[in-house]
Amino acid sequence: MLEHLSQTCLLADPNNHCARIWDRFEDEVPEWTFVVIPFLSTADSRHDFFVVNDIMEFIDDALEGLTFLHAQGIAHRRVSPSTIRTDESPLYPGGFHPIVRWRLPDFTPRHAPSYSRSTARTRVRNYYTGFGDAVPGGPPEAFRADVAALGRLLDTYFTERYSRTEFLAPLVADMKSGRPTAAEALAQWRATRARTSWVGRMRRLPVRSDDESWVWVVLLDVFFMVLMLLERLPAPVRLRMSAISCLPENASWYGWG
């Protein structure tokens, strides 16, 4: 399945958010073939979602990728947090150790410089994996089940976990019902996204379990907004400010370490 989805003609599709095959080789056992794909992490394995835009970019990839799969006549059948994975390389400009994330690849006792999702210089991408149960040309119920599974994932990991995600409620409810197709859910999502301003996208995501006073909420919101504005400054200005603040040149204003 991955080989089919990694064809050059399909890789050119911007909605193809399926893991890419880097290489493949045969095993001594004729029935076995090994494929090499990028090192991908579960979406919430290391870096939390700090601002609303972090969630929005994840939903972009998840819905575009599912729409692409269904357009190819493929039902995934295992949509879950373990099968939608993240390429975290933009978050670690110097690389990272695959087991101990805060270490550099050579495991030297130094923190690996890191960015948050929203401050990374390159957009973080999310990919579908786990195609063991994928069915080409499956029954209509299989495609609806994919949409419902993704809706439940968004509900569990975003709307139930974070405040300020109420704008997702109509989309999530429709998807969980299994009524819309992936393409219809994507169209609904893009309409919702278009109504969200830049300020709305850059708002901090409080965890619902945190008991924050309104004063603390306001202070944190202002702090995060200032950081996001600083990240949009030209690189020379950021370097001068990093020198003043004693931060390393490649450090993010938050998400460092």
Side-chain angles (χ1 to χ4, degrees):
M1 186 65 68
L2 271 179
E3 287 186 291
H4 169 71
L5 296 170
S6 295
Q7 295 179 77
T8 303
C9 59
L10 296 181
L11 289 178
D13 190 325
N15 288 337
N16 184 353
H17 297 289
C18 301
R20 274 56 169 159
I21 291 181
W22 282 357
D23 198 1
R24 65 187 301 276
F25 53 92
E26 305 295 333
D27 186 58
E28 295 178 355
V29 180
E31 293 80 11
W32 286 85
T33 299
F34 291 92
V35 296
V36 181
I37 65 173
F39 181 80
L40 303 173
S41 308
T42 53
D44 65 341
S45 63
R46 170 63 176 84
H47 283 255
D48 290 330
F49 295 84
F50 284 111
V51 296
V52 172
N53 193 62
D54 296 344
I55 287 178
M56 298 180 81
E57 289 185 345
F58 177 88
I59 298 176
D60 285 343
D61 291 350
L63 276 174
E64 288 174 359
L66 193 61
T67 300
F68 168 82
L69 281 173
H70 289 186
Q72 302 302 312
I74 299 171
H76 190 284
R77 300 180 72 108
R78 287 182 57 199
V79 176
S80 69
S82 64
T83 59
I84 304 180
R85 293 180 167 261
T86 302
D87 178 7
E88 292 189 335
S89 55
L91 305 178
Y92 296 90
F96 63 94
H97 194 277
I99 298 176
V100 184
R101 297 299 179 85
W102 54 271
R103 290 282 185 91
L104 290 168
D106 59 3
F107 209 68
T108 53
R110 293 192 299 118
H111 275 269
S114 66
Y115 292 101
S116 68
R117 291 174 182 268
S118 290
T119 58
R121 297 296 176 256
T122 304
R123 184 188 181 288
V124 173
R125 300 289 177 180
N126 305 279
Y127 297 94
Y128 279 93
T129 62
F131 291 96
D133 295 331
V135 178
E141 294 76 15
F143 296 94
R144 303 281 181 177
D146 279 352
V147 176
L150 181 56
R152 290 191 295 271
L153 184 155
L154 299 181
D155 192 22
T156 301
Y157 279 81
F158 297 144
T159 59
E160 292 182 0
R161 181 178 296 185
Y162 298 104
S163 300
R164 297 176 176 168
T165 55
E166 292 76 15
F167 70 101
L168 295 176
L171 172 68
V172 168
D174 286 348
M175 291 178 65
K176 288 171 63 178
S177 72
R179 288 191 300 268
T181 64
E184 290 168 345
L186 177 60
Q188 182 180 351
W189 164 242
R190 285 176 171 169
T192 300
R193 200 186 207 293
R195 294 192 296 267
T196 308
S197 66
W198 181 86
V199 173
R201 295 198 306 271
M202 293 302 144
R203 294 187 73 192
R204 184 177 62 92
L205 279 172
V207 178
R208 291 190 184 276
S209 59
D210 293 346
D211 185 16
E212 299 178 348
S213 68
W214 70 269
V215 175
W216 186 241
V217 168
V218 171
L219 289 175
L220 284 178
D221 285 350
V222 172
F223 177 69
F224 266 74
M225 190 60 67
V226 169
L227 290 180
M228 295 306 300
L229 290 172
L230 288 174
E231 288 292 339
R232 297 173 69 86
L233 292 174
V237 177
R238 286 202 310 272
L239 291 179
R240 287 197 296 271
M241 297 184 73
S242 294
I244 295 172
S245 64
C246 300
L247 281 175
E249 291 184 358
N250 62 347
S252 170
W253 286 89
Y254 71 93
W256 166 256

